[in-house]
Each structure stands twice: as C-alpha cells, then as structure tokens.
Amino acid sequence: MSLRDKTYFISDLHLGASYLDTQSSEQRVIEWLNTIKSDAKRLILLGDILDYWFEYRHVVPRGYIRFFGKLAELSDSGVEIHWFTGNHDIWIFDYLPAELGITLHRTHETIDIDGHKFFLAHGDDVGKRKWSFRFIQSVFRNKVAQWCYSWIHPDLTMLLAHKWSSSSRKKNDKKGEEHFRGEKHEPLVQFAKEYIKEHDVEYLIFGHRHILLDLMLTHNNRMVILGDWIKHFSYATFDGNNLFIDLFVDE
Ligand SMILES: [Mn+2]
C-alpha cells in the first residue's frame, strides 16, 4: 500500500456537454480517478465538472452514473473531495454533497494544504467580468429565480440549457477565446497579481479559462490555470512540497 499524501486538482470536464462524446469523456475521467485512488488524500474539483445540472427537490437529471459512483467510491475509501461550483454546475444543492460525501464550495476560498495556503476559485466570480456576465450570474444565483425555474418542465429546460451551452462554446471558439491572451489581458492574472499584494497565499489555482497556465507571480507566489478535459486532459498534483502539472494520456 502506498501512502496517501497527494492532493489532486482538475476542472472543466463539462461532462454531458452536447458537443462531447459523453461516454468516452466520462470513461477517461474514471480511468484517471482509478490511477489516483491509491495515493490521493484529497481531490479538488474546481468547477464546470458537469456541463449542466439542476437538482429538483425530489428528482435529479439522468446520467453520470459511473462518474458519480467513482467519486462515491473514493469518498467512501477516505479521500476528501471538494467540489467548487463553476458557472455551469452552480445548481448543485444538497443532493450531490450528501449522496457522494463531498464538500461543496459555492465561491472562492483559501484553504490550507499541508501547511501551504492555496487560493482556490473556479474563476467566474473573481476579476474583471462583463456586466452582462455579472447580471446573468446574479440571476442564476438568485433563490427566487431558481425556485421559479424549478417549476418549468425539466425536459424543456435541459434542452435549452444544452443548446445555450453549445452555442456559447461555438462563439468562444470562433473568437479564439480559449487561447492565452497575454498577462495584461487575462483578468485572472490581473486579479491574482492584485490579490497577492494583500493576502497571504502561496498558490492560486483556477479553472474556467480552458487554458493551461503556470506562472510565477513572485518568487513565492505561483498561479495555475488548470486547462480542461476537452482538449488538454490536464490536472495538478500537490505532494506536500511541490506542485506538478500533468496531462492524462489515454493508452
Ligand atoms: Mn467556467
């Protein structure tokens, strides 16, 4: 038995997205989870793990059975799992945390990992954002709006949600949004640079941008944007002393 001492980070799997082969992407993540289960102490899911999800009071959407089962298996075996919601999986309420034994985080948080301070955020609720994005976000997070939404038939809302998600992805693709725009033009880099002036953190880890970025901000502040599981299949590992970024290559 190897020692369980590692913390793993992934984000932006977008499982269930209509533009992905859901079964094969789910399978790939499960294969990766199998490789980490013997030495993982902690697993941090940094948002947009599911492309769309809405928990009703008594009913939950179809799909993701094997993925959820694997998370439950890890959690039952003692792996501490943290799920930070992104802008695609905000509507996780009390079902998944209870069923899977995970800790849910609705916003960015600084947590201590093996004596090191990590600022963790999906990345959609920090830094400079368009007013339209902020507006939509405040509606999505509004309790009354959520309640009203829950009374629309799910077959309809799910259809619309998947259509919206795939059209916004196409738009981003067209605009070349998913490429590094340079430090000055990356809101998360700008945010991190300001944040470390006033806060005592060593690592800042983000998702959301679907780019792979590993940047030393100062000699003791490092920021990472985790990439995604659509084209990068990337993840980070912290072993208590060092942070590594790897790609999960399918064999
Ligand atoms: Mn996102």
Side-chain angles (χ1 to χ4, degrees):
M1 272 290 274
S2 59
L3 195 65
R4 280 194 172 176
D5 56 0
K6 294 195 171 57
T7 299
Y8 290 94
F9 305 85
I10 46 167
S11 77
D12 298 273
L13 310 180
H14 287 268
L15 290 178
S18 55
Y19 51 82
L20 287 179
D21 175 349
T22 295
Q23 264 184 338
S24 74
S25 33
E26 187 176 3
Q27 201 48 51
R28 193 158 179 171
V29 183
I30 289 167
E31 279 165 30
W32 177 72
L33 289 169
N34 280 332
T35 67
I36 70 158
K37 68 180 176 191
S38 57
D39 69 358
K41 172 160 76 176
R42 203 178 283 109
L43 169 64
I44 297 183
L45 306 167
L46 218 47
D48 288 1
I49 300 304
L50 309 176
D51 195 59
Y52 174 70
W53 179 260
F54 194 97
E55 281 175 21
Y56 296 84
R57 193 164 357 150
H58 299 288
V59 178
V60 294
R62 326 179 157 208
Y64 321 108
I65 293 295
R66 289 175 178 78
F67 175 64
F68 289 160
K70 189 52 73 177
L71 289 184
E73 180 192 324
L74 262 68
S75 137
D76 288 347
S77 75
V79 181
E80 192 186 293
I81 305 179
H82 296 265
W83 189 322
F84 285 72
T85 55
N87 46 316
H88 281 258
D89 49 11
I90 13 175
W91 299 305
I92 297 174
F93 301 117
D94 59 347
Y95 170 70
L96 283 186
E99 192 72 32
L100 305 179
I102 57 171
T103 306
L104 195 72
H105 304 263
R106 294 209 175 276
T107 185
H108 52 88
E109 220 167 297
T110 297
I111 68 171
D112 186 288
I113 300 180
D114 307 319
H116 299 261
K117 288 218 169 85
F118 281 73
F119 174 88
L120 304 173
H122 175 62
D124 61 317
D125 67 347
V126 292
K128 206 174 146 218
R129 289 149 294 155
K130 278 192 202 135
W131 73 268
S132 51
F133 189 80
R134 277 173 187 265
F135 173 73
I136 290 172
Q137 217 169 20
S138 69
V139 175
F140 283 1
R141 286 168 183 257
N142 182 284
K143 286 255 182 314
V144 178
Q146 288 171 352
W147 183 84
C148 294
Y149 184 88
S150 76
W151 286 97
I152 309 172
H153 196 281
D155 283 347
L156 182 66
T157 49
M158 266 174 220
L159 190 77
L160 293 175
H162 284 298
K163 277 228 160 87
W164 191 28
S165 161
S166 83
S167 83
S168 83
R169 165 146 173 93
K170 272 187 205 135
K171 226 165 56 193
N172 284 349
D173 245 4
K174 240 192 192 155
K175 286 195 285 185
E177 290 265 344
E178 291 179 1
H179 296 283
F180 180 54
R181 295 181 288 213
E183 287 181 31
K184 276 211 174 70
H185 303 286
E186 285 293 342
L188 292 180
V189 176
Q190 293 305 313
F191 167 80
K193 284 184 173 173
E194 286 303 311
Y195 193 82
I196 54 171
K197 289 181 188 165
E198 317 222 318
H199 299 84
D200 170 31
V201 290
E202 200 175 335
Y203 296 93
L204 300 96
I205 320 271
F206 303 92
H208 189 52
R209 280 287 289 121
H210 294 233
I211 58 173
L212 201 47
L213 181 75
D214 186 358
L215 195 64
M216 288 306 293
L217 299 168
T218 69
H219 66 284
N220 55 7
N221 291 111
R222 182 171 165 194
M223 97 170 261
V224 166
I225 303 182
L226 288 170
D228 66 10
W229 277 59
I230 295 168
K231 51 182 191 291
H232 295 99
F233 306 96
S234 43
Y235 63 97
T237 312
F238 186 66
D239 68 2
N241 296 306
N242 290 299
L243 184 77
F244 305 94
I245 293 172
D246 285 295
L247 303 180
F248 183 62
V249 186
D250 221 2
E251 269 134 44

